[in-house]
Amino acid sequence: MESENQTGLAEFLLLGLSENPELQPLLFGMFLTLYLITVAGNLLIILAISSDSHLHTPMYFFLSNLSFTDICFSTTTVPKMLVNIQTQSKSISYTGCLTQICFVLVFACLENCLLAAMAYDRYVAICHPLRYTIIVNPHLCGLLILLSLVISIVSALLHSLMVLHLSFLIDLEIPQFFCELPQVLKLACSDTLFNNILQYFMTSILGGGLFLGIIFSYMQIVSSLLKMPSIGGMYKAFSPCGSHLSVVSLFYGTGFGAYLSSAATLPSRKSAIASVMYTVVTPMLNPFIYSLRNKDIMGALRKLISRISSFH
């Protein structure tokens, strides 16, 4: 069979979570609800932080950027799935698939970098409290965001450019609801050695390296907390870290699960469910984790809701 490559003639088929026609309305309603909750929840976090001057600190600056990233992350995958279910179509063009791969990688990497930046912020705040405002200044915060964005875009473009050189057959089936890089590489009929090397290298450096940085930050934090004389002081200092640790555990737990299930030869259903947890459920839960465990965010949300209600 003749192969097609980057000319755009190849078409991919996103098989989704189920091919049962009776389940499609249920899946559409469920994912539409999850997506709306994700957008609304993260948007409320952004508005609450921007509207309350008491929250104009580095920690909440990074949190608002994380919420924006979560909105973009879900928007990259879920709307296309909803359109396919509604139109009863599974197809996505070569260009559309490559674009989706690129944006998924950008926002996944950006979230990874932001979580590492937030861990560094907590490390400085607890281990070097007297120098916190000097070290974590607005200039550094802006530089960290810019650096995270550059790293994410460069990494995603490298992967996308490498995929451009691959050849594919026509009407290829992807056992996912979006174009996932490991699944797409499996469908290539040309050599993917360099693609796999780049994928493993970037995952090790960006995923593993930043994760080790987060672990190191919390090892230093715990070491500093153990030197505090009172338990009350330890709890007060560590309480802002609880939400971040919960989000880190959720992100890396589901992320590594999705990556391993896609890279390994697991049943397509298990791989798809792991990817749902990573790309849909995690961005939806993040605003709940931060709002329910943070009195400042809850207070800002109440003020924001009361302001919105006063306009009606």
Side-chain angles (χ1 to χ4, degrees):
M1 180 179 274
E2 187 178 355
S3 63
E4 300 290 350
N5 52 21
Q6 62 267 34
T7 57
L9 298 177
E11 186 177 66
F12 294 89
L13 298 178
L14 300 174
L15 300 183
L17 299 178
S18 175
E19 297 185 26
N20 188 346
E22 297 179 357
L23 290 178
Q24 299 309 307
L26 178 63
L27 289 173
F28 180 85
M30 181 178 70
F31 277 91
L32 178 60
T33 302
L34 292 176
Y35 178 67
L36 292 177
I37 292 174
T38 300
V39 173
N42 284 288
L43 191 59
L44 279 174
I45 294 290
I46 295 172
L47 292 174
I49 292 172
S50 61
S51 64
D52 194 330
S53 59
H54 295 94
L55 300 183
H56 293 174
T57 62
M59 181 175 70
Y60 295 111
F61 172 72
F62 290 128
L63 176 57
S64 60
N65 280 276
L66 182 68
S67 294
F68 177 74
T69 302
D70 282 333
I71 293 175
C72 296
F73 198 12
S74 291
T75 302
T76 304
T77 58
V78 179
K80 176 59 180 175
M81 177 191 185
L82 296 176
V83 170
N84 281 5
I85 293 176
Q86 191 67 20
T87 58
Q88 297 182 353
S89 171
K90 299 178 182 177
S91 65
I92 182 171
S93 65
Y94 176 86
T95 304
C97 188
L98 193 63
T99 302
Q100 195 174 60
I101 289 174
C102 185
F103 278 107
V104 166
L105 292 174
V106 166
F107 295 120
C109 182
L110 185 56
E111 182 147 354
N112 201 354
C113 293
L114 286 172
L115 289 175
M118 294 171 77
Y120 175 73
D121 171 75
R122 290 298 86 206
Y123 157 73
V124 178
I126 294 174
C127 298
H128 305 283
L130 299 179
R131 299 175 57 201
Y132 176 71
T133 55
I134 299 174
I135 298 174
V136 189
N137 53 59
H139 177 72
L140 179 65
C141 293
L143 188 63
L144 287 175
I145 294 297
L146 181 61
L147 184 62
S148 299
L149 191 58
V150 169
I151 291 174
S152 302
I153 292 174
V154 170
S155 173
L157 286 177
L158 280 175
H159 284 294
S160 301
L161 290 174
M162 291 293 288
V163 174
L164 274 173
H165 294 285
L166 299 178
S167 297
F168 298 92
L169 300 175
I170 297 175
D171 295 334
L172 295 162
E173 295 183 344
I174 300 175
Q176 275 289 2
F177 63 96
F178 69 99
C179 286
E180 193 174 40
L181 180 63
Q183 298 290 351
V184 172
L185 293 181
K186 289 179 182 179
L187 299 176
C189 57
S190 53
D191 186 20
T192 60
L193 175 62
F194 290 108
N195 297 79
N196 289 322
I197 291 174
L198 179 64
Q199 182 184 356
Y200 297 141
F201 177 76
M202 288 297 187
T203 302
S204 301
I205 296 297
L206 296 179
L210 291 173
F211 181 62
L212 289 176
I214 293 173
I215 292 177
F216 176 78
S217 296
Y218 274 100
M219 287 174 62
Q220 297 299 311
I221 288 172
V222 171
S223 177
S224 295
L225 290 175
L226 291 176
K227 297 176 183 177
M228 290 186 176
S230 66
I231 298 178
M234 291 174 57
Y235 177 78
K236 184 178 180 181
F238 189 75
S239 58
C241 301
S243 300
H244 180 254
L245 272 177
S246 300
V247 171
V248 166
S249 302
L250 186 63
F251 177 79
Y252 281 99
T254 57
F256 281 127
Y259 175 77
L260 292 174
S261 63
S262 297
T265 54
L266 292 179
S268 59
R269 180 66 58 82
K270 290 184 179 180
S271 176
I273 292 174
S275 295
V276 168
M277 294 296 297
Y278 177 53
T279 60
V280 181
V281 177
T282 299
M284 181 197 69
L285 291 179
N286 284 353
F288 290 100
I289 292 172
Y290 272 103
S291 60
L292 293 176
R293 294 178 60 91
N294 192 305
K295 294 180 180 179
D296 293 332
I297 291 289
M298 288 296 292
L301 285 172
R302 291 192 192 97
K303 292 178 183 177
L304 177 64
I305 294 172
S306 63
R307 287 178 187 176
I308 295 173
S309 301
S310 64
F311 286 113
H312 298 284

